[in-house]
Amino acid sequence: MRTQSAQNRDARAVTASRPFTVIGHRGARGHAPENTLLSIDTAIRLGADWVEIDVQHHDGELWLMHDLTLDRTTNGRGLLTAHPAAALRRLDAGDGEGIPTLAEALDLIEQRVGVNVELKSWNGCANAVAACLREYIADGWPAERFLVSSFHLPELWEFKQLLPEVPLGALYCGVPLDWAGLAAELGAQTLNISDEFVDARLIADAHARGLALYVYTVNDETRLRTLWQMGVDGVFTDYPDRALAAVGSEVRE
């Protein structure tokens, strides 16, 4: 009969062999203004595997902006959609950075990392993002280097009809009654869930359905290690450097 210590060593070896994806949240918002080119470049320099950016469609452009309003992250006021493109171009999004477009972000990234595009608006956002990503795929970007996600699942479903080769991430802020069932029904490749709702049964169900499970937004190193040990596949973090330090080089892809 094998001893408990031998079983524990084997369990640690299996955990250490699993890939663990570090996703820079809004770039690296712990180090630079969120959703700016500076934040994205910082995340890449810190070693993130992927960057996550928020996108809204307005006035013919796809703007990198999380909030529907400008007040928190720029020197502007009111709804983003209340301002024409020319006015948005003049705003300061922090440290002298402007509000970039999705195309500007992708041109900066140049396939150095994967890109999670979160749809933050609806009624046309899916169509505009699909048209943009289609051009980059035609120029040589692998479709699997993109992940399109949203809490607005009907908008995510619309995107799937437009560009089915790009993987989807279903965003949840709770644990559904059918566990990961809805994400699987949607045809998503990842289930992205808030840290406060991580559940061992949800992790197991996601994996049984062939889904990766990513957790947002995790900045504490002890919590990062705990989630890795629980079996999650990756985290969104404001500090990619902390996540890399927490899980160690032995789990890097």
Side-chain angles (χ1 to χ4, degrees), residues 153 172-183 185 191 193 197 199 201-202 205 209:
L153 298 187
Y172 290 175
C173 194
V175 179
L177 286 173
D178 64 349
W179 302 99
L182 184 58
E185 182 181 347
L191 173 57
I193 188 167
F197 295 110
D199 185 294
R201 291 168 294 178
L202 179 62
D205 189 61
R209 297 174 188 271

Side-chain angles (χ1 to χ4, degrees), residues 25-26 29 32-37 39 54 56 63-80 88 90-100 120 238:
H25 182 230
R26 306 180 200 171
R29 72 186 291 256
E34 67 182 58
N35 282 316
T36 62
L37 297 182
S39 188
D54 303 297
Q56 297 184 45
W63 304 97
L64 269 59
M65 176 71 63
H66 177 272
D67 299 359
L68 297 181
T69 57
L70 302 168
D71 304 59
R72 182 179 64 85
T73 58
T74 78
N75 60 345
R77 295 291 181 269
L79 290 169
L80 178 145
L88 294 174
R90 294 193 293 268
L91 295 178
D92 187 333
D95 294 348
E97 292 286 306
I99 306 173
K120 296 302 291 188
D238 299 334

Side-chain angles (χ1 to χ4, degrees), residues 130-152:
C132 179
L133 298 191
R134 189 178 293 114
E135 290 185 7
Y136 281 85
I137 292 170
D139 284 341
W141 278 65
E144 61 271 17
R145 293 297 276 167
F146 294 115
L147 178 70
V148 172
S149 62
S150 184
F151 287 102
H152 198 291

Side-chain angles (χ1 to χ4, degrees), residues 10-20 228 250-253:
D10 288 349
R12 286 194 296 269
V14 170
T15 302
S17 68
R18 283 192 299 103
F20 189 80
W228 167 49
E250 68 271 17
V251 299
R252 308 307 302 137
E253 293 182 320

Side-chain angles (χ1 to χ4, degrees), residues 50 52 71 80 111 115 130 168 171 174 187 204-205 210 223 239 245 250:
W50 286 65
E52 180 265 353
D71 304 59
L80 178 145
Q111 300 189 47
V115 183
L168 301 183
L171 273 163
D205 189 61
R223 182 59 175 164
Y239 300 92
E250 68 271 17

